[in-house]
Each structure stands twice: as C-alpha cells, then as structure tokens.
Amino acid sequence: MTAWRSKRSARTMAALAAATGICTSLLTGCGVLPGDARADDSTVTVMTWAPEGTGATNMPGMPAMAQAYARWVNATGGINGRKLRVLTCNDHNSSVGAARCAGRARNEGVVAVVGSYSQHGRTFMTALESAGIPYLGGYGVTDEEFTSPLSYPVNGGQATLLAGNGHQLADHCERVSLVRPDTVSGDQLPRLLNAGLAAAGDHGPATDIRAPEDASAYTRHARLALAGVGLEDGSGGGAQAAGGTGTGAEGSGSMDKACVTAVLGGRTDTFFDSFRRLREDGPGVRIASVLGSVKQSLVDRTGGPDSQWEGAYATGWYPVSSDPRWAAMRNVIREHAFGDNRIEAADPGVQTTWVAYTVLRAALEHVEGAVTAGTVQRALETMPPVDTGGLTPQLSWRYDDMLAVRDHPRLVNAMVTFQQVRNGTLAPAREGFVDVRDTLEAVPGVG
C-alpha cells in the first residue's frame, strides 16, 4: 500500500510540474492579457481574481475591468513609464480555488492583488501575508479584508451595506424580514441590519431567514419572509395581513409597514421571483436589497418600470451608475473593453475594481525606485490621500485615517448611498453619502 501511494504521489507531482510548465509557457491560457510579455524592470505585475461560472455568486466583470484598465494605461504610456501586466484567476467560490489563486500570485511575483472578490478570506489572506503581497480594494465580503495589515479596502464591505440598509428601511418599515445566505459570512448580516434599524429609530430586530446561495427556487423562504412581517401564516396558505383586512391600504398590511430585504448575491433575483409568485394576490410589501444583489441590469431584464423592483430600496457604496463621476470609467470600457459583455458599468464589482486600480495607480506613482510588493505596501501607507473623483471619500490608510471600528481596524470608508428604483432606473433616494461609522462602532463584535 505504501509503495502504491508513493508511486501515485510521484505521478501526481510530475503532472503538477508539467501543468505548471505549460501555464508558464502559455500565459495567455492562464489569465494573462494576450500578447503581454513576462514581467521585467519596465513591467508591473498584479492580479485580480473573482468567481466565474459557478452556481452561486459570480463576478466576471471584475477581472474583465482590470484587463480593460491595463489596456488603457498601457495605451497611454503606462504608469511612470512602466507597463501594467494583469493576471486573472477564477477562485470558483471555493477555498481550494482561493488558495490556488493566492499561490499563483506568490509564484508569479505579483506586487498586489487588486479589485478582487472571494468569500474565502481565511484562505487567501494567510497566503498573501506570508508572501508580503498587499490586497487592495477587495469587494469586502470577509472579515479578513478589514483586519489584515496587508489589506487596503476601498469601501466598507458588507458591514456598511447592511448597516446602511437598516438606516434606509427604518424610515419606511415597521417590520422587516432579512433573507440572507446560510453561510459564515451571512451569519453576521442580521446584527448589522438590526444595528442600522435601531440607530435610525426605536425599531425591533428583523426576522432572520437563512437560505442557500445556490437554490433554483425560494418559495419556502418567501413564505417565511412574509410570515416574519405578519403577512403569511407560514403554513403554505395564502398571504394574510396580520390584524388587518389584507388590502394593504392601512394598518399592519400597509406596504410602508412591511418590508422584505434580500441579500443573496446572484440569487437575489431568484428569491424575489419566488416571492413575486407567492404574493401576486396578497397585500403589498416593499422590497429592498443592497447593490450587488440588485443592479440596473436586473431591473431592466425584469421589466424596467413594470418590474417588481419599481419602488424598491437599495443601499450602495458609490453614486448611482448614471452619475457623471463615472464618465472616465465608462470611456475606458467603451474604448478598451472591446465589447466584453462581462463588464457592466452599473455592477458594484466593476466599480470597486475601477476605484481599486485608481488607488493602485496613485501608489505606483508614489513609489521611488524598484516596484515590489514591499514598496507598494509602503506607498499605500505613506502616500497622500487618494482622490477618486468623488466616487468615494478621499482614501488613505495612514494610522490617523483608520476608523475606530472594533474588529474592522482596516476600515477607512464607512460611507453608503441610498438609492431607489424610480421609473425603472436606480436613482438617488438621498443626495450625497450617508456615514454609518457610528452605527458600526456600536455593533457588538463588529463596532
């Protein structure tokens, strides 16, 4: 048995070595921009990763945006005369995939991982820390992105979105159900939403509905969500307005009293499709979500002004996608994405990648001498605050710029935006940014 295992191990190692050699010699098949040469003194190599083609949340627009950004800067002379080389990696929404991406970043000598998405922070951040590689502008779905000394988040992650969503709904809802992933990261969402609800007024906690990330239908969860706001008996029967006539005209059946918010990433539309079918003949319920789980393309695809999303609330990190401050990004997409349909300008993942690469450019311009992971890290921690053109507050990770949010010591941006679907378009529900820092500071175990 031992000999057989040894032989199998030897064959496996040989296969891995061969695969590595193939990947090294055929870089265009391993996620490198076609035609790019190996990194040298005049080239800066970075990586962007995200899940693609999985049964749960996918973010293909993030690596696609990174590639378009590289084409743009390289076509205009590079950054301080250096070409930008972008490697991409698919983490497949798995810890094994995340580890492989991080290992490849180390082996390829990248100076930073930029504008990326992964739910497996414990896996990838440990690997990056051991190699001294900074993680700049992650999507913000893991705790490690806000605790690791090598992480430089450009937004407030899920924490600010949920706290902000609570603030936004508190003005309109007396009873709220939250439908969220039945995952470790999902377990943190109820207390964040509840903190926002409580901070904005005397509000009870939301009903917590756990749901799988990869379901094809959510009828049972929709019933539970309705029961949580008093509009469904929970037994599979029709919708009922608790203590009212069920007309939704007044009392506890009012649309402005009962709200259901869902944060299921790529499966949010699947949930609300089940929800719509269940409540077709029932009382009105206001629906809500956060940007990323709902976006303009979803509203367009489901009917625009006639969509069930009409009137829905959404909390985001950035200005609405139609805001003129996104003009530069839109120009780059139009001129350098070559029609890549993975890139959607209204996608918060794409927007986060744009902001992250804006910060990377500022950091590289601040580096004197050789560009390495270490010099990029030092630049991020010593350079002046970065102006992102009003898409975020100015970003800086110097000691005095860190916010006093316990368990999230790397947080530097606690701003959110309130949006609402009006006439089929996501529009500002309130002008400017809303600061939820005080709410995060008050959350047990988070703030």
Side-chain angles (χ1 to χ4, degrees), residues 377-389:
Q377 179 191 1
R378 285 192 290 276
L380 288 167
E381 295 180 353
T382 60
M383 67 184 182
V386 179
D387 184 352
T388 63

Side-chain angles (χ1 to χ4, degrees), residues 135-158:
Y135 187 70
L136 170 58
Y139 194 81
V141 293
T142 69
D143 283 346
E144 289 76 13
E145 294 172 66
F146 298 95
T147 58
S148 171
L150 286 183
S151 181
Y152 302 85
V154 299
N155 60 46
Q158 291 275 43

Side-chain angles (χ1 to χ4, degrees), residues 102 105-107 109-113 125 127-135 150 373:
R106 180 184 61 247
N107 294 338
V110 307
V111 301
V113 174
M125 195 57 76
L128 294 183
E129 287 174 348
S130 68
I133 300 172
Y135 187 70
L150 286 183

Side-chain angles (χ1 to χ4, degrees), residues 378-425:
R378 285 192 290 276
L380 288 167
E381 295 180 353
T382 60
M383 67 184 182
V386 179
D387 184 352
T388 63
L391 298 172
T392 67
Q394 289 194 335
L395 298 174
S396 175
W397 293 270
R398 295 177 298 189
Y399 180 79
D400 291 341
D401 298 311
M402 301 293 178
L403 304 185
V405 178
R406 187 178 60 211
D407 295 341
H408 281 58
R410 302 298 294 175
L411 183 69
V412 298
N413 176 11
M415 298 293 185
V416 297
T417 58
F418 291 172
Q419 302 177 29
Q420 186 177 18
V421 180
R422 297 172 180 163
N423 298 318
T425 302

Side-chain angles (χ1 to χ4, degrees), residues 60-220:
M62 298 182 77
M65 183 70 245
Q67 291 175 322
Y69 190 96
R71 294 188 190 101
W72 171 54
V73 298
N74 292 340
T76 54
I79 303 174
N80 276 357
R82 296 184 176 93
K83 293 290 186 180
L84 181 63
R85 175 175 175 252
V86 172
L87 311 180
T88 66
C89 192
N90 183 353
D91 89 332
H92 297 284
N93 269 327
S94 73
S95 58
V96 172
R100 287 174 176 166
C101 288
R104 183 164 164 242
R106 180 184 61 247
N107 294 338
E108 293 277 0
V110 307
V111 301
V113 174
V114 188
S116 296
Y117 179 104
S118 177
Q119 299 185 42
H120 302 282
R122 293 181 182 178
T123 300
F124 72 74
M125 195 57 76
T126 299
L128 294 183
E129 287 174 348
S130 68
I133 300 172
Y135 187 70
L136 170 58
Y139 194 81
V141 293
T142 69
D143 283 346
E144 289 76 13
E145 294 172 66
F146 298 95
T147 58
S148 171
L150 286 183
S151 181
Y152 302 85
V154 299
N155 60 46
Q158 291 275 43
T160 56
L161 289 183
L162 268 292
N165 200 228
H167 275 267
Q168 189 173 12
L169 295 183
D171 293 337
H172 307 282
C173 315
E174 287 186 358
R175 300 175 307 284
V176 178
S177 284
L178 167 65
V179 184
R180 51 81 170 184
D182 188 9
T183 62
V184 173
S185 60
D187 289 342
Q188 301 182 41
L189 304 188
R191 59 180 175 170
L192 292 162
L193 181 76
N194 291 336
L197 289 169
D202 184 14
H203 211 293
T207 301
D208 180 20
I209 312 296
R210 301 180 182 183
E213 284 190 294
D214 56 355
S216 58
Y218 290 92
T219 302
R220 183 175 70 85

Side-chain angles (χ1 to χ4, degrees), residues 58-60 290-301 309 344 346-349 421 426:
N58 295 297
M59 288 287 177
V290 298
L291 268 293
S293 288
V294 60
K295 47 191 175 182
Q296 186 61 50
S297 62
L298 173 59
V299 177
D300 295 340
R301 189 171 68 248
W309 289 100
E344 179 189 337
D347 180 358
V421 180
L426 278 160

